[in-house]
Amino acid sequence: MKIAPVPGALGPGVNFGVTAAKALEERKIDGFWANGMGAEVAVKRGIGTVVLDIRRGDGPAGCFNYTMASIAATDALIARSPDIAAAAIRAIVKTQAALRANPERASEVGKTLFPVSEATLIAELIRRDLPYYDASISQDFVAG
Amino acid sequence: MNEFSRDIGILKSNPAYEDVVATEFRSEWNVA
């Protein structure tokens, strides 16, 4: 097995999941570890199968924390501009709250980020992942 | 994160939770 970057997945504005599914369809890769969008596109197009759904219990329990989106900042930025760091956290918390209240709002943003076929999937993906929307970082995540 | 990072050889120490997470902002993410 050779683990390598997905062709074309690097760079600003590139959606990794969409690009990974396309690379799979074009047989540039044999598989990928990606987000819900990548997996959903691959399955919907009939070009891939979900082998491991870590968040829903596949694999060793410790693998749950292998998928952990986060925002990192330097200690220097936090010391210099704590207001900016706090504002970033508030933005995440408020966005998650807005999506919990109405997952369809993801479609508004999705239309600006994804091709039409993928944009129609985003609200359902968000709805499915709502139980995991939490802006905090657990002790288990840091230790594991 | 710590254990995984040590396993793959990119971390030698064991940073505390407070060293990794900006807990001074805890009140921001605890708002439901």
Side-chain angles (χ1 to χ4, degrees), chain A residues 30-51:
Chain A
D30 297 314
F32 59 79
W33 175 283
N35 52 30
M37 176 62 84
E40 190 74 5
V41 170
V43 170
K44 290 264 187 198
R45 288 190 187 162
I47 57 176
T49 302
V50 175
V51 179

Side-chain angles (χ1 to χ4, degrees), chain A residues 90 136-137 141-144, chain B residues 1-4 17 25 28-29:
Chain A
R90 282 195 298 275
S136 66
I137 296 175
F141 169 76
V142 172
Chain B
M1 187 183 76
N2 286 354
E3 186 178 339
F4 179 81
Y17 179 80
F25 299 114
E28 302 288 357
W29 67 70

Side-chain angles (χ1 to χ4, degrees), chain A residues 5 8 13-14 26 38 48 77-78 98 104 109 130 133 135 140:
Chain A
V14 177
E26 295 171 350
L77 181 140
I78 292 171
E104 289 298 329
V109 179
L130 282 178
Y133 278 25
D140 282 346

Side-chain angles (χ1 to χ4, degrees), chain A residues 6 10 17 33 36 47 51 58 75 93-94 103 113 115 127 131 139:
Chain A
V6 171
L10 298 177
W33 175 283
I47 57 176
V51 179
D58 292 342
D75 288 341
V93 170
K94 286 182 178 180
L113 296 175
R127 187 178 293 107
Q139 298 267 357

